[in-house]
Amino acid sequence: MPEPRDVRVALAGYGHVGKALHRIIEERADAIAEAHGIVLRLVAIARKGRYVTDADGLGLADARHWKHGNIFEMLGEVEADIFVEATPTDLETAQPALGHVRGALREGLHVVMANKGPFVVAAKEVQQRAAEAGRLVRGEATVGGCIPVLDTARQHFAGDPVQRIEGILNGTSNFILTRMAEEGSDLDQALREAQQLGYAEADPTADIDGHDAAAKVVILANQVLGQDIGLADVEVQGIRGVTRQAVELAKAHGMRIRLVAEADRNGLARVGPRLVPVGSPLDVAGALNAVRFTSDLAGQVTHIGAGAGGTETAAAVLVDIIDVARSSHDRPNDP
Amino acid sequence: MPEPRDVRVALAGYGHVGKALHRIIEERADAIAEAHGIVLRLVAIARKGRYVTDADGLGLADARHWKHGNIFEMLGEVEADIFVEATPTDLETAQPALGHVRGALREGLHVVMANKGPFVVAAKEVQQRAAEAGRLVRGEATVGGCIPVLDTARQHFAGDPVQRIEGILNGTSNFILTRMAEEGSDLDQALREAQQLGYAEADPTADIDGHDAAAKVVILANQVLGQDIGLADVEVQGIRGVTRQAVELAKAHGMRIRLVAEADRNGLARVGPRLVPVGSPLDVAGALNAVRFTSDLAGQVTHIGAGAGGTETAAAVLVDIIDVARSSHDRPNDP
């Protein structure tokens, strides 16, 4: 067990994920210190042009007295080790997250992202800046919520590289397809149900038309499969064209229609409705996500779990924070 | 990227797993060196009272000129960093593996096990000896083949400890239960089929009566869930009592009978036939394995994959070898 040491976290974004992370750090800091010798302190929070800092760590009650100012002013006011980017994702510009990430790396912080934007729009640039700064960039929370995806690819498949990934990476569309098969309903009915239950947004375009899943394909292709692509390189088909009849025909043949995201090392990067055998690991029900890794030695390994949710996403951020804290401490080439 | 450095592996056991590992190291050493700066060399192999060594690394063709002698003589003849224990498992005495592991730790080697015995019979002793020697002990291959299990619990759940594990950890019994449901056959018929296809041994006791799954429960309980138990502490019921009628009754209610291994942080440790909803992540077919982790923040995450096979098991050994090579290099408290 190494000596306990402080790991100071600065957070941008204080929605579901940011708040859940704050609560988790407050509740679990002692247990994490005891188990890993890492004393986590949340020393800064920025939200919508305001921020609050405390070098001793911000309790939940401290997230009230917001000052006007941006995250660069915030980072100038308090020292931190890890920057967590949890503002809302913009898949076109990646802003404001990309600017935040650049600034944090410039300030010498490691970066952990819940925001998908920077990995979708500027993955290579971010990795290069991180490498030049000798800092780590992680984004476990950007794909598959708290399912181990990027960390599994990095650690477990270190000597047997993942060759191909297929995934059910959008819980909303999977919920809709599941209900269509269960209830014999059509897409509009199932969508309304998903909206009533909070599984779908009022504007479901990103989910239904496959754009959210496509963003995750970009992340997997770039982070795991050695590609260097953007959203425009993904062949995307959503589920709008999936009829009740098609779902029933699939069912009659022992299959399900699922919105499958796929990428490999040969440039494959696509999202679309696919037939999946009933009972196969990718045939997950409801809002679950699934990720299937294919490698030469291990064959196929599938991970299933909750792909969304503030607490689950924050849990994935915590995975990265602890990994960065351990790795940056241990690595001799890391200042 | 750190400087390339040699990592010398000594192997005991040269059956399916040992041979697969040898082949993998021969085929992949260059790729691993390029990706991770770790130059793997297999410098010693012991099998059945004979051994062969070569400080420059043993090619596949070198595993022919065996000398008489035991692994202690072998370890005295060539320097190595990591000892891989892949002899056949004995769940009662853990020998000869336990003696090998003690000897390897005494010689200052890290230990990677495919053999379940030492983690089942003497987990605490092995961990203590490793801690005193400042060496690492890993056994990813002992549970769930190449499915990420122990490494996921250690890395991904570092800040959100696994509270409970349920698993389908014996592929043979799962194959039999799957065939009974698919074919309406009884256990004896399905068992004969499994034996013909090579999924079951001539003596299927360890699989059918739950002892193999129980050994894995012990490993999970001790390595992940903070218990300190042995085989005698596991409540074990096998699948011999599962009738065709029971399988059909379950099916009529949308359920399957599966041999489920369970353990938690409150002392639960048992194996037995359980009802699992059709289509739920634990409802895996054929010889697949599944492991479901439950934690406070992530909820339930399930991993599915091949639980057996020489190549798959050797792949899990390789995961540990690379992890040990990275961790032992990086850890300041590790000589």
Side-chain angles (χ1 to χ4, degrees):
Chain A
M1 177 61 58
E3 284 289 292
R5 69 211 155 79
D6 285 337
V7 172
R8 298 157 300 179
V9 175
L11 167 68
Y14 203 61
H16 292 307
V17 176
K19 282 177 183 153
L21 181 67
H22 193 178
R23 180 176 50 73
I24 288 168
I25 290 176
E26 174 141 314
E27 288 173 2
R28 291 177 176 258
D30 290 349
I32 291 167
E34 199 179 326
H36 306 292
I38 294 163
V39 181
L40 284 185
R41 274 186 289 149
L42 184 61
V43 297
I45 307 171
R47 63 177 305 197
K48 297 178 183 166
R50 294 160 174 239
Y51 68 88
V52 56
T53 63
D54 187 335
D56 295 327
L58 293 157
L60 287 173
D62 299 322
R64 277 186 311 205
H65 311 291
W66 304 89
K67 290 187 251 191
H68 284 275
N70 61 35
I71 79 133
F72 306 102
E73 294 168 83
M74 176 182 87
L75 292 178
E77 194 175 297
V78 66
E79 295 219 356
D81 305 294
I82 299 176
F83 175 72
V84 174
E85 169 46 64
T87 65
T89 293
D90 180 317
L91 291 179
E92 285 177 26
T93 67
Q95 295 297 3
L98 184 54
H100 295 170
V101 168
R102 288 175 182 145
L105 288 171
R106 220 161 29 225
E107 294 288 327
L109 280 72
H110 303 287
V111 170
V112 171
M113 291 181 289
N115 187 311
K116 293 188 280 292
F119 267 175
V120 172
V121 174
K124 202 156 197 173
E125 181 211 313
V126 169
Q127 297 289 8
Q128 274 171 354
R129 283 176 186 264
E132 284 162 17
R135 292 296 179 270
L136 298 169
V137 174
R138 296 277 191 263
E140 186 61 46
T142 62
V143 189
C146 60
I147 303 173
V149 181
L150 301 182
D151 61 359
T152 292
R154 192 170 58 242
Q155 303 279 350
H156 192 81
F157 288 96
D160 174 30
V162 177
Q163 298 296 330
R164 180 185 174 92
I165 296 182
E166 294 138 292
I168 310 295
L169 295 173
N170 181 266
T172 303
S173 56
N174 203 62
F175 177 88
I176 290 169
L177 293 171
T178 302
R179 295 303 289 167
M180 287 174 74
E182 285 172 356
E183 303 293 311
S185 51
D186 62 24
L187 189 129
D188 287 338
Q189 287 172 297
L191 171 58
R192 275 195 301 277
E193 189 189 353
Q195 286 166 328
Q196 281 156 12
L197 291 169
Y199 285 124
E201 316 265 334
D203 175 5
T205 309
D207 296 319
I208 301 292
D209 289 342
H211 304 310
D212 171 69
K216 291 162 181 167
V217 164
V218 173
I219 295 172
L220 293 170
N222 291 345
Q223 301 303 313
V224 178
L225 296 163
Q227 295 195 41
D228 178 21
I229 63 171
L231 264 183
D233 302 306
V234 183
E235 189 188 320
V236 186
Q237 193 185 346
I239 63 169
R240 276 192 210 271
V242 176
T243 62
R244 189 171 58 182
Q245 289 74 18
V247 170
E248 277 164 16
L249 189 61
K251 199 170 168 181
H253 287 80
M255 306 291 266
R256 307 243 195 249
I257 298 180
R258 290 286 176 257
L259 185 67
V260 176
E262 300 167 277
D264 70 12
R265 288 190 181 270
N266 300 317
L268 176 74
R270 69 182 179 194
V271 172
R274 306 270 177 263
L275 290 173
V276 170
V278 169
S280 68
L282 277 188
D283 169 27
V284 290
L288 285 174
N289 279 22
V291 179
R292 178 160 70 189
F293 306 91
T294 302
S295 72
D296 292 342
L297 302 176
Q300 293 189 329
V301 171
T302 307
H303 292 187
I304 297 168
T311 300
E312 292 83 350
T313 306
V317 170
L318 180 66
V319 171
D320 282 343
I321 290 174
I322 292 178
D323 183 54
V324 166
R326 286 170 161 178
S327 306
S328 61
H329 186 59
D330 297 343
R331 288 197 187 177
N333 63 332
D334 215 45
Chain B
M1 177 61 58
E3 282 290 291
R5 69 210 155 80
D6 285 336
V7 172
R8 299 158 299 179
V9 176
L11 167 68
Y14 204 60
H16 291 306
V17 176
K19 282 178 184 153
L21 181 67
H22 193 178
R23 179 176 49 74
I24 289 169
I25 290 177
E26 174 140 315
E27 288 173 2
R28 292 178 176 257
D30 290 348
I32 291 168
E34 198 179 326
H36 306 292
I38 295 164
V39 181
L40 285 185
R41 275 186 289 149
L42 183 61
V43 297
I45 307 171
R47 62 177 306 196
K48 297 177 183 166
R50 293 161 173 238
Y51 68 87
V52 57
T53 63
D54 187 334
D56 294 328
L58 293 157
L60 287 172
D62 299 322
R64 277 186 312 203
H65 311 291
W66 304 89
K67 289 187 250 188
H68 284 275
N70 61 35
I71 78 134
F72 306 103
E73 294 169 82
M74 175 182 88
L75 292 178
E77 196 175 298
V78 67
E79 295 219 355
D81 305 294
I82 298 176
F83 174 71
V84 174
E85 169 47 64
T87 64
T89 292
D90 180 316
L91 291 179
E92 284 176 26
T93 66
Q95 295 298 3
L98 184 54
H100 296 170
V101 168
R102 288 176 183 145
L105 288 172
R106 220 160 29 225
E107 294 286 328
L109 280 74
H110 303 285
V111 170
V112 170
M113 292 181 290
N115 186 311
K116 291 188 281 292
F119 267 175
V120 173
V121 173
K124 201 155 197 173
E125 181 210 313
V126 168
Q127 297 289 8
Q128 274 170 354
R129 283 176 187 265
E132 284 162 18
R135 291 298 178 270
L136 299 169
V137 174
R138 295 275 191 265
E140 186 61 46
T142 62
V143 189
C146 61
I147 303 173
V149 181
L150 301 183
D151 62 0
T152 292
R154 192 170 55 244
Q155 303 278 349
H156 192 81
F157 288 96
D160 174 29
V162 177
Q163 299 295 331
R164 180 185 174 91
I165 297 183
E166 294 138 293
I168 310 295
L169 297 173
N170 181 266
T172 304
S173 57
N174 204 62
F175 177 87
I176 289 169
L177 293 170
T178 302
R179 295 303 288 167
M180 287 174 73
E182 284 172 357
E183 302 293 310
S185 51
D186 63 23
L187 190 128
D188 287 339
Q189 287 172 300
L191 171 58
R192 275 196 301 276
E193 190 190 353
Q195 286 168 327
Q196 281 157 11
L197 292 169
Y199 285 123
E201 315 267 334
D203 175 5
T205 308
D207 296 319
I208 301 293
D209 289 342
H211 304 311
D212 171 69
K216 291 162 182 166
V217 164
V218 173
I219 295 171
L220 293 170
N222 291 345
Q223 301 302 313
V224 178
L225 296 164
Q227 295 195 40
D228 179 20
I229 62 171
L231 263 184
D233 302 307
V234 184
E235 189 188 321
V236 186
Q237 194 186 346
I239 64 169
R240 275 192 211 270
V242 176
T243 62
R244 189 171 58 183
Q245 289 74 18
V247 170
E248 277 165 15
L249 188 63
K251 198 170 167 181
H253 287 81
M255 307 290 268
R256 306 242 195 250
I257 297 180
R258 289 286 176 258
L259 185 67
V260 177
E262 299 167 277
D264 70 13
R265 289 190 180 268
N266 300 316
L268 177 75
R270 70 182 179 192
V271 173
R274 306 268 176 266
L275 289 173
V276 170
V278 168
S280 68
L282 277 187
D283 169 28
V284 290
L288 285 174
N289 279 21
V291 179
R292 179 161 69 190
F293 306 90
T294 302
S295 72
D296 292 341
L297 302 177
Q300 294 189 328
V301 172
T302 307
H303 292 187
I304 297 168
T311 300
E312 291 84 352
T313 306
V317 170
L318 181 66
V319 172
D320 281 342
I321 289 174
I322 293 177
D323 182 54
V324 166
R326 286 171 162 177
S327 306
S328 62
H329 186 59
D330 296 342
R331 289 201 184 174
N333 64 335
D334 216 46

